[in-house]
Amino acid sequence: MTFYDFTSPVVPPSGVPDFGDVHERAVVNGARHGTPVLVGPGGRPDSRVNLFFRTGAMAGARPSTWRRYAYALVVWLNYLDSVGRGWWEATARDVEAFKEWRLSAVANAGRVQPTSFDTDRAALNSFYCWADQRFGVANPVASVTAGGQRGRGPSGGAAGGSWSVRDPLRPAGATRRQVKWMLRQAFEQWRDIGLCGYDFDGLRRRGWRGGNEDRDAAFVDGLYGTGLRLTEWASVLDVEVPEPSAQRFVPAHLAAACIKGGRAGRTYRIPRTVLRSVAGYTDSVAGSRIHAIRRAQKAGRYERLTGIRIVVGYRPQSRHLLIEDDRGGVDPVSLDVLGPDERRQLFRRTKGGLEPLWLWLAPSGVPKKPHGWEDTFDHANDRVASVWTATVGDGRDPAACPLWARPHMLRHSFCLRWYSILSAVWRSRVAGLSEEQMRDLRDQLGDIWFQLAALMGHAHPMTTRETYLEPFAGLEFDYLMALLDEDETAGVDSLLHALADAGGRTVQPVSITEADGR
């Protein structure tokens, strides 16, 4: 499997006359940048399978969706090849056997969690629904499309009269979201050991060479502090990062083309501690970013890149870049329409040579691709496990190390912290109110889930509730407040004081200056 990359030209193979432009032919055949291409074990593609990503509903999907579904489809096709079955011949029994192999077969060392298989199930169902309409291939994925029992709402009643559409193939474990979070102390310990060369005793390891530690620490600090998804934070340009200020949380804009399913950009907040970390990484003297750029300029790497676009200016009020066109003119282009792959091609001219606008750079100086950060997390987890085994783990299996992190865990942790803060604020607002007054307050301001949805960038609060309600609902309020560090607790206190000043229902301590009349 590979993916069309329209940002890099295809070099014709030697000795093949009239090779032509592959990308031009691909566009005629319905491909776009990021469209998957699957090639079978015999070395030839099945045009019917590849057509799935170029027609119907999938044609308008995002590259990230293509990527997930393509990997799921490849696993299924490889499984069918191993049992001597064509994809057009598959039956419901084949799908059940595939499910058993993926989830519980002893002979399969690469078994997955139910939530992971749920992506396989959704991808196969979409593929076969399309193949049924296009080629008359029966869908072997058992599903419920009508009827069934009414779904139950959180309170036990009917969920708005809607009907359940749960697929019987979906694993039972897939209904529970794999929500995991890290306390700040655990996150900082993981970051310092895995990315910054420390031991569990808080001291630097001898011989540590951390040429990229300021970049890696700033990146994970940003994920933990902003709650952005990996691709969203990884696609930020340097012109989109605000300067550090006295504000505790500085507003920034996230481009629509970088948001999962985004139709419009949104505002998010960057903690000032994160901005300081980013400022250290981008420092024009000591930061690792400028050193990576200088190495790339000296080696002439940027000049060898294809498809780069030169930015000659930026209008922050309208969020438009001024980009040179082929005629020597300048076109204003909104940052909201530039997706991650286009952003990696943006450069400006400086006295030292070309310089990327992409914030996060590899040691070679070229823009680091978003999915490359998964490797960074893997390496950090390996380092933490290795140090743990050699010290506090007393030689135990590194797989038993209790300290580890994945990118989305940091987003979950962000949500839990703000759930704690908003719970504190909400409790202060509803204290002493009647049921009717509480309803009025919800109508005016929305409940916790509306506010959390805005912070998380979810289009609807039900997405936030369905993902986070179950694991959060059982947490005691005192436990939630214990999760916050001193800075976050101070933020909650400030919010409560502001509410007290506005509402006039809370007795506050008298300050010394007030008592003395000064």
Side-chain angles (χ1 to χ4, degrees), residues 321-496:
L321 294 177
L322 302 179
I323 302 178
E324 288 184 357
D325 59 25
D326 297 335
R327 303 177 303 276
V330 174
D331 292 327
V333 180
S334 171
L335 284 172
D336 274 316
V337 305
L338 295 171
D341 290 324
E342 293 175 283
R343 288 164 168 251
R344 288 191 291 110
Q345 296 178 288
L346 299 175
F347 286 78
R348 62 169 66 90
R349 294 190 184 94
T350 68
K351 292 181 179 179
L354 294 176
E355 180 179 303
L357 275 69
W358 188 267
L359 181 61
W360 309 106
L361 306 180
S364 63
V366 300
K368 184 177 176 69
K369 294 183 178 181
H371 58 79
W373 286 104
E374 297 282 358
D375 294 335
T376 302
F377 274 79
D378 289 339
H379 295 327
N381 288 330
D382 289 343
R383 290 192 198 105
V384 172
S386 176
V387 174
W388 178 84
T389 298
T391 55
V392 296
D394 295 327
R396 280 178 284 174
D397 185 354
C401 178
L403 184 63
W404 57 280
R406 301 301 307 163
H408 223 60
M409 285 171 60
L410 307 189
R411 178 169 164 84
H412 294 160
S413 302
F414 171 87
C415 189
L416 176 62
R417 295 200 315 279
W418 279 98
Y419 178 82
S420 307
I421 293 171
L422 293 173
S423 295
V425 174
W426 185 258
R427 283 170 70 104
S428 72
R429 284 184 167 178
V430 301
L433 297 183
S434 66
E435 195 66 36
E436 183 177 355
Q437 289 173 322
M438 289 175 62
R439 265 197 313 271
D440 290 341
L441 187 61
R442 283 194 179 93
D443 291 340
Q444 293 175 37
L445 302 176
D447 62 10
I448 292 174
W449 298 104
F450 277 93
Q451 297 166 25
L452 269 182
L455 286 169
M456 299 296 289
H458 290 150
H460 196 280
M462 281 306 298
T463 303
T464 315
R465 286 178 63 93
E466 289 173 357
T467 304
Y468 299 100
L469 176 60
E470 184 177 0
F472 288 4
L475 299 180
E476 295 292 335
F477 182 75
D478 291 340
Y479 173 72
L480 291 173
M481 295 309 297
L483 299 178
L484 305 179
D485 65 12
E486 293 182 4
D487 282 345
E488 291 161 343
T489 303
V492 172
D493 290 341
S494 298
L495 286 170
L496 296 182

Side-chain angles (χ1 to χ4, degrees), residues 35 46 93 101 217 228 261 264 275 301 303 360 470 488 503:
T35 299
D46 186 326
R93 182 173 296 181
W101 176 71
L228 296 183
L275 289 177
R301 292 193 184 97
E303 284 76 13
W360 309 106
E470 184 177 0
E488 291 161 343

Side-chain angles (χ1 to χ4, degrees), residues 189-265:
Q189 187 180 52
W190 173 85
R191 178 200 62 197
D192 292 345
I193 296 173
L195 299 173
C196 300
Y198 287 86
D199 284 330
F200 278 89
D201 58 8
L203 301 177
R204 287 262 195 178
R205 299 200 294 276
R206 289 185 178 180
W208 169 255
R209 298 178 63 185
N212 299 310
E213 68 175 82
D214 60 345
R215 178 202 68 179
D216 296 343
F219 185 83
V220 299
D221 282 345
L223 289 180
Y224 192 82
T226 65
L228 296 183
R229 298 176 180 87
L230 176 68
T231 300
E232 294 170 346
W233 182 233
S235 303
V236 170
L237 302 179
D238 57 7
V239 297
E240 295 178 301
V241 180
E243 294 290 331
S245 70
Q247 288 181 267
R248 190 182 298 272
F249 298 96
V250 182
H253 190 86
L254 185 62
C258 296
I259 299 175
K260 178 182 178 182
R263 294 179 176 84

